[in-house]
């Protein structure tokens, strides 16, 4: 069937155009000022609406076991929440559960396949380096995986030593794989957490106090230096500290191919939120910082030092002993209450995949601080380019997947858990007044959210096999 979207304003990262758009067989096949309707064409009138490429969230954790529980959105509920928020592609992470990387990848592919409702891909976590793992990293590319993540924190669990990161980066470079970094200082965190526990400093805000931003700053500098010596590109995930932006800018001005991502939580919240009675809702790693850090992150986005905004979506219930209704069924999954009385036991992570686009639209575009084109660049186009999915995803071009959002820029609402489809019992943006909201969403030409109504079935989302990293992808 053909679908004709008429009278909308098409927004891409570099263009704003009043035009009609025709979809056939999952793809955009025509964009013209006026396209005449014909037989067997379903016409959708987008008068007064913006037509955006679907959002691309390159950092989510779905169904991730952690702290004796599991992140509360699986590949169905998480991708459904993404869709309602205008995001049509997500990238999740393959944990290194065994040293057989390809087996781990295939197991996650199988798990996601029957559930996902928007398209998805995976990054591979490299958290234990052996000779076999070194040999297997290049095989990820054949699996469609062209990015991996390493950690300078989580000693004895996820962390690699600097020399190992150096080795991994060189292998990644030789195979068109982009190395991503979780930047914190594992050694110092380990000491500070031990000391806090010994001193009975158990309350929520000690989570941030035991992971100071200097650890993140020095880790970004250290990894940038490793990237220079490995002659390999690097992408810093969840940037949270102003000093990280400084370090990234330093590396970039020295000609390094280093890129950065931040997340809404670091732009809108601070460590003060942890001191609230329900502060556990804001617990994630790295933690929230200060308003000074926020300012520098915003500046990083404006100046192009930081290229993407993802979410690190990793939700937990605030009170997992009390069920919520999800699709008519009661659901309760142990969550933040596991850490009552001991901040080290609070599951780390926040909901956000469905909130990202509406919150950012209000704060960036409706506020007049950024253009709609910049919004598309940061939330869709640049992520798709950096992670080998452009122009299939991240834009509106003839030949692109028909992943698009009909966005109502005039819609006003008081946001919160009632609007978000994330499977948890709270929303960080409860009570925020929004201007602009996604009305309808297409994924590969299928109308999956129609005027706020859910139309999709579990398992329709496809795994996206990604292209090798292109150092010139952002121009
Ligand atoms: N940080 C979190 O808070 N949760 C999931 C993984 C991570 O890095
Ligand atoms: Zn991380
Ligand atoms: Zn993460």
């Amino acid at each position: 069937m053909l679908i004709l979207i008429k009278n909308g304003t098409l927004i891409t990262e570099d263009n704003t155009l009043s035009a009609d758009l025709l979809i056939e067989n999952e793809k955009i096949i025509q964009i013209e000022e006026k396209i005449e309707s014909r037989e067997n064409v379903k016409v959708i009138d987008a008068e007064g609406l913006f037509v955006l490429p679907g959002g691309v969230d390159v950092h989510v954790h779905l169904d991730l076991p952690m702290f004796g529980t599991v992140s509360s959105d699986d590949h169905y509920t998480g991708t459904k929440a993404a869709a309602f928020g205008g995001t049509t592609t997500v990238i999740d992470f393959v944990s290194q559960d065994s040293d057989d990387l390809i087996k781990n990848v295939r197991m996650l592919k199988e798990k996601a396949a029957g559930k996902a409702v928007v398209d998805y891909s995976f990054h591979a976590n490299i958290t234990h380096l052996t000779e076999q793992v070194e040999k297997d990293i290049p095989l990820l590319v054949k699996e469609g995986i062209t990015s991996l993540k390493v950690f300078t924190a989580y000693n004895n669990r996820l962390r690699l030593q600097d020399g190992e990161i150096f080795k991994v980066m060189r292998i990644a470079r030789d195979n068109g794989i982009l190395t991503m970094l979780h930047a914190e200082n594992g050694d110092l965190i380990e000491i500070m957490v031990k000391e806090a526990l010994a001193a009975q400093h158990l309350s929520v805000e000690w989570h941030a106090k035991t992971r100071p931003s200097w650890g993140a700053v020095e880790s970004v500098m250290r990894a940038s230096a490793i990237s220079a010596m490995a002659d390999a590109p690097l992408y810093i995930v969840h940037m949270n500290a102003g000093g990280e932006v400084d370090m990234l800018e330093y590396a970039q001005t020295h000609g390094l191919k280093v890129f950065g991502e931040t997340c809404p939580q670091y732009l809108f919240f601070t460590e003060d939120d942890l001191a609230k009675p329900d502060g556990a809702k804001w617990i994630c790693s790295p933690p929230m910082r200060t308003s000074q850090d926020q300012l520098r992150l915003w500046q990083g986005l404006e100046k192009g030092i930081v290229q993407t905004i993802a979410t690190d979506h990793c939700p937990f219930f605030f009170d997992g002993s009390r069920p919520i209704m999800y699709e008519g069924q009661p659901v309760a999954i142990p969550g933040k209450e596991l850490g009552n009385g001991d901040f080290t036991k609070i599951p780390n992570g926040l909901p956000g995949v469905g909130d990202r686009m509406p919150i950012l639209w209000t704060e960036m575009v409706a506020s007049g601080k950024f253009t709609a084109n910049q919004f598309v660049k940061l939330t869709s186009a640049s992520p798709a380019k950096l992670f080998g999915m452009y122009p299939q995803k991240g834009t509106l071009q003839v030949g692109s997947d028909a992943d698009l959002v009909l966005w109502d820029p005039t819609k006003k609402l008081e946001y919160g858990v009632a609007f978000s489809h994330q499977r948890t019992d709270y929303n960080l943006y409860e009570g925020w007044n929004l201007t602009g909201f996604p009305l309808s969403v297409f994924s590969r030409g299928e109308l999956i959210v129609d005027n706020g109504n859910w139309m999709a079935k579990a398992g329709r989302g496809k795994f996206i096999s990604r292209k090798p990293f292109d150092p010139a992808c952002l121009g």
Side-chain angles (χ1 to χ4, degrees), residues 93 125 131 137 159 177 182 246 283 292 301 313 379 412 439:
F93 292 78
N125 281 353
E131 277 182 19
I137 290 172
R159 179 188 173 177
I177 296 173
H182 175 118
D246 299 341
I283 287 282
Q292 283 307 106
L301 292 167
H313 177 79
T379 58
K412 287 193 185 288
L439 186 67

Short mmCIF file of all heavy atoms in Angstrom, two decimals, residues 93 125 131 137 159 177 182 246 283 292 301 313 379 412 439:
data_model
loop_
_atom_site.label_atom_id
_atom_site.label_comp_id
_atom_site.label_asym_id
_atom_site.label_seq_id
_atom_site.Cartn_x
_atom_site.Cartn_y
_atom_site.Cartn_z
N PHE A 93 22.72 -3.03 24.37
CA PHE A 93 24.09 -3.54 24.57
C PHE A 93 24.08 -5.05 24.79
O PHE A 93 23.26 -5.56 25.56
CB PHE A 93 24.72 -2.87 25.80
CG PHE A 93 24.99 -1.41 25.60
CD1 PHE A 93 23.97 -0.49 25.68
CD2 PHE A 93 26.27 -0.96 25.31
CE1 PHE A 93 24.21 0.87 25.48
CE2 PHE A 93 26.52 0.39 25.11
CZ PHE A 93 25.49 1.31 25.20
N ASN A 125 29.53 -5.02 24.61
CA ASN A 125 30.38 -4.67 25.76
C ASN A 125 31.61 -5.57 25.75
O ASN A 125 31.46 -6.80 25.64
CB ASN A 125 29.65 -4.92 27.08
CG ASN A 125 28.65 -3.83 27.42
OD1 ASN A 125 28.59 -2.80 26.75
ND2 ASN A 125 27.88 -4.06 28.46
N GLU A 131 42.74 -13.73 24.62
CA GLU A 131 43.20 -13.84 23.22
C GLU A 131 42.04 -14.20 22.31
O GLU A 131 41.94 -13.71 21.19
CB GLU A 131 44.30 -14.90 23.12
CG GLU A 131 45.65 -14.32 23.51
CD GLU A 131 46.78 -15.31 23.38
OE1 GLU A 131 46.63 -16.33 22.67
OE2 GLU A 131 47.81 -15.05 24.03
N ILE A 137 36.56 -10.11 18.17
CA ILE A 137 36.03 -8.75 17.98
C ILE A 137 35.76 -8.45 16.49
O ILE A 137 34.68 -7.97 16.15
CB ILE A 137 36.95 -7.68 18.62
CG1 ILE A 137 36.86 -7.79 20.16
CG2 ILE A 137 36.56 -6.27 18.18
CD1 ILE A 137 37.86 -6.92 20.93
N ARG A 159 35.29 -3.43 34.16
CA ARG A 159 36.41 -2.57 33.82
C ARG A 159 37.53 -3.29 33.06
O ARG A 159 37.89 -4.42 33.40
CB ARG A 159 37.00 -2.00 35.10
CG ARG A 159 38.19 -1.11 34.82
CD ARG A 159 38.87 -0.71 36.07
NE ARG A 159 40.09 0.00 35.73
CZ ARG A 159 40.89 0.53 36.61
NH1 ARG A 159 40.59 0.46 37.89
NH2 ARG A 159 41.98 1.14 36.23
N ILE A 177 35.24 -0.51 13.58
CA ILE A 177 34.38 -0.54 14.78
C ILE A 177 34.68 0.70 15.62
O ILE A 177 35.84 1.05 15.83
CB ILE A 177 34.64 -1.82 15.61
CG1 ILE A 177 34.25 -3.06 14.79
CG2 ILE A 177 33.89 -1.78 16.93
CD1 ILE A 177 34.63 -4.39 15.45
N HIS A 182 32.67 4.25 28.81
CA HIS A 182 32.04 4.69 30.07
C HIS A 182 33.19 5.25 30.91
O HIS A 182 34.07 4.50 31.35
CB HIS A 182 31.38 3.49 30.76
CG HIS A 182 30.82 3.79 32.12
ND1 HIS A 182 29.49 3.67 32.42
CD2 HIS A 182 31.42 4.22 33.26
CE1 HIS A 182 29.28 4.00 33.68
NE2 HIS A 182 30.44 4.34 34.22
N ASP A 246 35.39 19.91 28.34
CA ASP A 246 36.69 20.57 28.17
C ASP A 246 37.71 19.59 27.58
O ASP A 246 38.46 19.92 26.67
CB ASP A 246 37.24 21.08 29.51
CG ASP A 246 36.34 22.11 30.15
OD1 ASP A 246 35.49 22.70 29.44
OD2 ASP A 246 36.46 22.33 31.38
N ILE A 283 19.00 7.93 40.77
CA ILE A 283 20.28 7.22 40.87
C ILE A 283 20.63 6.55 39.54
O ILE A 283 19.90 5.69 39.05
CB ILE A 283 20.23 6.13 41.98
CG1 ILE A 283 20.26 6.79 43.35
CG2 ILE A 283 21.40 5.15 41.83
CD1 ILE A 283 21.61 7.26 43.81
N GLN A 292 26.57 24.17 37.02
CA GLN A 292 27.72 24.60 36.19
C GLN A 292 28.03 23.56 35.12
O GLN A 292 28.34 23.89 33.98
CB GLN A 292 28.98 24.79 37.07
CG GLN A 292 28.99 26.04 37.87
CD GLN A 292 28.73 27.27 37.00
OE1 GLN A 292 27.63 27.84 37.05
NE2 GLN A 292 29.70 27.66 36.17
N LEU A 301 26.93 21.09 23.32
CA LEU A 301 25.98 20.75 22.27
C LEU A 301 25.89 21.87 21.23
O LEU A 301 25.91 21.64 20.03
CB LEU A 301 24.59 20.49 22.87
CG LEU A 301 24.45 19.24 23.74
CD1 LEU A 301 23.14 19.25 24.53
CD2 LEU A 301 24.54 17.96 22.88
N HIS A 313 18.68 4.78 28.86
CA HIS A 313 17.43 4.25 29.44
C HIS A 313 17.69 2.91 30.12
O HIS A 313 18.10 1.93 29.49
CB HIS A 313 16.42 4.07 28.30
CG HIS A 313 15.11 3.46 28.70
ND1 HIS A 313 14.12 4.17 29.32
CD2 HIS A 313 14.62 2.20 28.55
CE1 HIS A 313 13.07 3.38 29.53
NE2 HIS A 313 13.35 2.19 29.07
N THR A 379 19.37 14.35 17.86
CA THR A 379 18.58 13.21 18.36
C THR A 379 18.38 12.12 17.31
O THR A 379 17.88 11.05 17.65
CB THR A 379 17.18 13.66 18.84
OG1 THR A 379 16.51 14.31 17.75
CG2 THR A 379 17.27 14.61 20.01
N LYS A 412 -0.06 21.20 23.87
CA LYS A 412 0.40 21.52 25.23
C LYS A 412 -0.13 20.46 26.18
O LYS A 412 -1.30 20.07 26.09
CB LYS A 412 -0.11 22.88 25.66
CG LYS A 412 0.59 24.04 24.96
CD LYS A 412 0.28 25.35 25.65
CE LYS A 412 0.86 26.53 24.90
NZ LYS A 412 2.30 26.64 24.98
N LEU A 439 2.47 12.99 17.56
CA LEU A 439 1.06 12.65 17.41
C LEU A 439 0.94 11.24 16.82
O LEU A 439 0.27 10.38 17.37
CB LEU A 439 0.41 13.68 16.48
CG LEU A 439 -1.07 13.63 16.27
CD1 LEU A 439 -1.79 13.99 17.56
CD2 LEU A 439 -1.46 14.64 15.17
#
